[in-house]
Amino acid sequence: MVHCSCVLFRKYGNFIDKLRLFTKGGPGGMGYPRLGGEGGKGGDVWVVARNRMTLKQLKDKYPQKRFVAGVGANSKVSALKGSKGEDCEIPVPVGISVTDENGKIIGELNKENDRILVAEGGLGGKLLTNFLPLKGQRRIIHLDLKVIADVGLVGFPNAGKSSLLSCVSHAKPAIADYAFTTLKPELGKIMYRDFKQISVADLPGLIEGAHMNKGMGHKFLKHIERTRQLLFVVDISGFQLSSHTQYRTAFETIILLTKELELYKEELQTKPALLAVNKMDLPGAQDKFHELMNQLQNPKDFLHLFGKNMTPERTVEFQHIIPISAVTGEGIEELKNCIRKSLDEQANQENDAHHKKQLLNLWISDTVSSSEPPSKHAVTTSKMDII
């Protein structure tokens, strides 16, 4: 068994997931017509992924949100080739998508030190430009944070996600007995005794119709896109948003959550998923859990109870289903172990797939090169040549 205790929690106040920036490449340096000297190229503006960086830190450090690279050096007698202007680097968190003013994706930064060129410096003055320098590229860019954590908690409001996060990570998110307790993502880390860390995000609670941007809608679903795995959290007693909305059983809750993910983006259903059935300390919870397990083992036998517009094309196959109580601590250690096991299995599968792809590319390359006819200019060696 993997022993685990969590001693670290990072809570983001005033969480920022979008930022608009002005960027400008540096102008080139002047050329030297009399001696044919070329001015230096202007500096470039790069967006660079850095660990332990947030968009809020970026905004606080650069409130003007303007990033301009350096000017290329002028050509001169002592240095006919002007030096390049200084580059400007914008530090951003890992998991950033960069788009231009028209919404076109420039690139994505998925690991530390990934970098994207967003504004190129102008050319230095040379013969082709009549030795006059060119201006640098000007560009408005949008930074969109999607990567939140290894595991994203998915559930309707009041499923106990915030309580669960505080239980697995010793975090202290705000918890109250009303819908939409979590309005902004809360991040926590599970720290294992062998120093392994797994980040967990409590995301704003979904409601029916989230795919149509109701409630937190797209803002929530956007964050789910880049969590590595999903942890569904449902109340064993079911869910009712208000007295004006229909009561949903735990099974109905799972089906509706699945449908919301499907309607927003079908690929979300392909993510590895676990299920934590919360509030098992309540009276009658065991009987309800056995009923839920029967429904999950044979979901098609119960889908006729739903309207056609509520039935997902495919149901989620959970890798682990763990009954828990965030109040008493029941099942929490097992849940932590299952989360780690599932992430380790995913990492191994991704590594195997990567190695197979490399071997396939190598095989294709060897096949193509061996099937190519020899060049008509190729030199062949015969016995006469040797003699």
Side-chain angles (χ1 to χ4, degrees):
M1 181 177 286
V2 180
H3 295 287
C4 161
S5 62
C6 183
V7 296
L8 175 63
F9 172 69
R10 295 176 65 193
K11 180 177 176 179
Y12 293 99
N14 302 320
F15 185 87
I16 294 175
D17 59 3
K18 284 186 176 182
L19 212 53
R20 181 177 183 269
L21 307 176
F22 171 83
T23 65
K24 182 182 175 184
M30 289 289 294
Y32 200 115
R34 191 160 59 87
L35 297 177
E38 294 185 4
K41 181 179 178 294
D44 303 318
V45 182
W46 297 82
V47 176
V48 185
R50 295 281 185 247
N51 283 335
R52 296 183 294 279
M53 187 69 192
T54 68
L55 289 182
K56 184 176 185 304
Q57 288 173 332
L58 178 64
K59 183 181 178 184
D60 290 345
K61 189 173 182 180
Y62 305 99
Q64 300 298 319
K65 296 182 287 185
R66 289 176 59 89
F67 296 87
V68 181
V71 181
N74 294 335
S75 173
K76 52 187 177 182
V77 175
S78 58
L80 288 177
K81 176 67 176 175
S83 59
K84 185 177 183 291
E86 186 177 356
D87 287 349
C88 173
E89 292 191 352
I90 307 172
V92 301
V94 173
I96 283 287
S97 175
V98 184
T99 56
D100 64 15
E101 193 75 315
N102 299 315
K104 182 180 178 182
I105 295 179
I106 301 171
E108 296 182 342
L109 302 156
N110 294 317
K111 62 180 186 298
E112 187 173 21
N113 296 324
D114 276 0
R115 53 175 46 226
I116 298 171
L117 177 64
V118 292
E120 195 168 357
L123 293 175
K126 58 178 71 177
L127 183 61
L128 288 174
T129 65
N130 203 24
F131 297 98
L132 296 174
L134 301 183
K135 293 180 179 179
Q137 181 183 13
R138 299 162 64 100
R139 207 177 204 182
I140 300 291
I141 63 169
H142 294 262
L143 305 180
D144 197 4
L145 178 63
K146 289 185 178 180
V147 171
I148 296 296
D150 295 316
V151 179
L153 304 186
V154 179
F156 285 138
N158 282 5
K161 301 190 309 299
S162 296
S163 299
L164 176 59
L165 181 68
S166 65
C167 195
V168 298
S169 71
H170 293 178
K172 292 182 172 56
I175 300 169
D177 191 20
Y178 55 86
F180 303 112
T181 301
T182 305
L183 297 178
K184 295 179 180 179
E186 298 276 3
L187 304 186
K189 282 185 184 288
I190 306 173
M191 300 207 31
Y192 295 82
R193 290 191 175 179
D194 60 355
F195 304 109
K196 170 82 172 179
Q197 296 183 24
I198 292 176
S199 53
V200 183
D202 175 17
L203 303 166
L206 269 179
I207 63 168
E208 291 178 49
H211 69 280
M212 296 185 293
N213 214 15
K214 291 182 180 178
M216 301 301 290
H218 288 176
K219 199 162 188 176
F220 167 88
L221 291 163
K222 178 191 71 175
H223 288 315
I224 288 184
E225 282 187 66
R226 287 205 194 165
T227 54
R228 296 185 63 206
Q229 298 199 353
L230 306 180
L231 175 58
F232 283 62
V233 184
V234 300
D235 184 337
I236 188 59
S237 300
F239 169 71
Q240 186 174 17
L241 183 63
S242 71
S243 57
H244 304 292
T245 58
Q246 188 174 344
Y247 165 79
R248 304 294 188 188
T249 66
F251 178 67
E252 289 174 331
T253 299
I254 294 167
I255 296 300
L256 290 171
L257 286 170
T258 305
K259 185 64 176 178
E260 287 299 332
L261 297 182
E262 176 185 280
L263 289 170
Y264 175 71
K265 190 170 284 189
E266 285 186 29
E267 299 92 272
L268 291 178
Q269 290 180 291
T270 64
K271 285 184 180 291
L274 295 83
L275 172 63
V277 183
N278 196 15
K279 305 188 182 179
M280 289 298 296
D281 55 295
L282 297 178
Q286 286 296 337
D287 291 340
K288 291 177 181 176
F289 181 72
H290 290 311
E291 181 184 356
L292 174 62
M293 289 300 293
N294 180 47
Q295 292 169 321
L296 289 174
Q297 285 166 5
N298 307 283
K300 291 182 180 178
D301 294 345
F302 301 92
L303 292 180
H304 68 276
L305 301 173
F306 295 84
K308 190 174 181 181
N309 62 336
M310 293 169 55
T311 307
E313 293 292 325
R314 51 180 287 186
T315 55
V316 176
E317 293 184 10
F318 296 107
Q319 297 191 342
H320 301 278
I321 300 175
I322 310 100
I324 66 166
S325 169
V327 174
T328 67
E330 174 192 345
I332 296 300
E333 284 301 316
E334 182 185 356
L335 175 61
K336 291 175 181 177
N337 296 333
C338 288
I339 289 172
R340 176 164 185 175
K341 182 180 178 183
S342 182
L343 284 167
D344 286 346
E345 287 172 351
Q346 182 183 2
N348 290 335
Q349 289 171 1
E350 289 172 353
N351 287 336
D352 289 344
H354 178 68
H355 290 317
K356 286 179 182 177
K357 186 176 180 181
Q358 284 183 316
L359 288 172
L360 179 62
N361 290 338
L362 186 63
W363 180 80
I364 291 172
S365 176
D366 289 344
T367 304
V368 170
S369 60
S370 63
S371 63
E372 287 179 354
S375 169
K376 63 181 179 180
H377 300 296
V379 178
T380 57
T381 304
S382 67
K383 289 182 180 179
M384 289 293 292
D385 292 325
I386 297 173
I387 295 170

